Amino acid sequence: MTRSLAPRSFSFSRLAIYSTLLLACALYLIPLIVMLLTSFKSPDDIRTGNLLSWPQMITGIGWIKAWDIVGGYFWNSVKITVPAVVISTLLGALNGYVLSMWRFRGSQLFFGLLLFGCFLPFQTVLLPASFTLGKLGLASTTTGLVLVHIVYGLAFTTLFFRNYYSSVPDALVRAARLDGAGFFTIFGRILLPMSVPIIMVCLIWQFTQIWNDFLFGVVFASGDAQPITVALNNLVNTSTGVKEYNVDMAAAMIAGLPTLLVYVLAGKYFLRGLTAGAVKG
């Protein structure tokens, strides 16, 4: 009797878990499905149908119009995100390497002060950053936005790399020093090849934070230098003429596709990287 009931109760519990997960997944995906369907509808379909109705005639005119409006700002986001992600990751790796392998007097205090940057709200750095960019002649430029994102992201990338490198055996670095390896040789030939998991974490983290940023984009950039998040906000809030919801939805999909693709293609490395340095040795 016990043997017959155990598998049945086990299967029922698994069925309940999977049903709950599928329901949660469906509810979570409804907004994305609505956006995707609406982006391929004509204005007449939007007015006559409901949110989840299939378009009577699939058309890409909404995507074409959306790209004509936000395409230039999309490339602005690329120009801002790619160098900011690469530079902040590289500098974070160097900082983490120094703070974990080449400790100096006051290094713990320095790391603590740098770590404090992780808890600073965006709003607290707006005025100092504006003043600095103005003095450097980088106000309202994509280069200025790159600099802001590099500086703001350094606290996070340094934290990630420092914790990761702290799990590397000290004997490995000491042996390299005895063999005559210097600062950059150890970093470039020993630690960087071992750092792929945490590099992926930093790349995904920084890419998501920078690409989706709105506050820095609207404050530190203007006109043709603005990122796509600001352009999307301006498009959605435009009230001139007939509202074209298919264009708005297509533009939102264009703005969200890069981060979606990053997580789909590299999301599995994110969890691996976060847990890679969890155990010392």
Side-chain angles (χ1 to χ4, degrees):
M1 189 71 177
T2 304
R3 292 181 180 178
S4 61
L5 287 177
R8 185 177 302 174
S9 61
F10 177 75
S11 62
F12 281 148
S13 64
R14 292 184 68 88
L15 179 61
I17 292 173
Y18 288 140
S19 299
T20 304
L21 291 176
L22 287 174
L23 178 61
C25 183
L27 291 174
Y28 189 80
L29 289 176
I30 284 177
L32 180 62
I33 295 172
V34 170
M35 289 174 59
L36 191 61
L37 289 175
T38 305
S39 67
F40 287 105
K41 289 180 180 179
S42 65
D44 292 335
D45 280 346
I46 297 173
R47 285 191 294 268
T48 58
N50 58 60
L51 290 176
L52 291 174
S53 64
W54 193 261
Q56 296 181 4
M57 181 182 66
I58 298 177
T59 175
I61 189 64
W63 286 79
I64 296 174
K65 288 184 177 181
W67 181 256
D68 289 339
I69 296 172
V70 302
Y73 302 100
F74 179 92
W75 294 118
N76 283 346
S77 290
V78 173
K79 295 174 185 177
I80 294 167
T81 304
V82 172
V85 168
V86 173
I87 296 173
S88 62
T89 300
L90 179 59
L91 292 179
L94 283 169
N95 288 343
Y97 168 53
V98 171
L99 292 172
S100 59
M101 301 293 179
W102 298 78
R103 294 176 182 173
F104 51 90
R105 180 177 296 179
S107 61
Q108 293 299 323
L109 176 61
F110 176 79
F111 177 66
L113 293 175
L114 187 63
L115 187 62
F116 185 70
C118 296
F119 305 99
L120 286 177
F122 282 16
Q123 293 82 353
T124 60
V125 301
L126 293 182
L127 289 178
S130 298
F131 178 79
T132 303
L133 293 180
K135 289 294 184 180
L136 295 175
L138 297 176
S140 302
T141 64
T142 54
T143 305
L145 266 178
V146 171
L147 179 61
V148 169
H149 284 298
I150 290 173
V151 173
Y152 195 84
L154 268 180
F156 294 97
T157 56
T158 300
L159 172 64
F160 293 152
F161 277 101
R162 190 263 187 185
N163 289 345
Y164 183 81
Y165 288 151
S166 294
S167 66
V168 176
D170 295 334
L172 185 64
V173 177
R174 287 199 299 267
R177 291 180 184 176
L178 290 175
D179 290 338
F183 179 89
F184 288 105
T185 302
I186 296 174
F187 177 70
R189 296 191 177 182
I190 298 177
L191 289 184
L192 270 187
M194 301 169 53
S195 306
V196 174
I198 201 64
I199 288 174
M200 295 302 299
V201 169
C202 287
L203 291 179
I204 295 173
W205 175 272
Q206 281 294 88
F207 185 92
T208 305
Q209 296 297 314
I210 297 172
W211 186 275
N212 292 334
D213 169 69
F214 174 79
L215 183 60
F216 285 167
V218 76
V219 172
F220 299 129
S222 62
D224 294 335
Q226 292 176 329
I228 192 171
T229 50
V230 179
L232 180 62
N233 177 74
N234 296 338
L235 171 65
V236 172
N237 291 325
T238 300
S239 59
T240 57
V242 179
K243 191 65 174 174
E244 296 180 300
Y245 290 102
N246 55 340
V247 178
D248 293 347
M249 296 299 181
M253 291 295 296
I254 292 172
L257 277 176
T259 50
L260 180 63
L261 289 176
V262 165
Y263 272 104
V264 169
L265 297 177
K268 62 181 179 180
Y269 300 105
F270 188 75
L271 183 59
R272 292 181 189 175
L274 285 178
T275 58
V279 180
K280 175 84 172 173

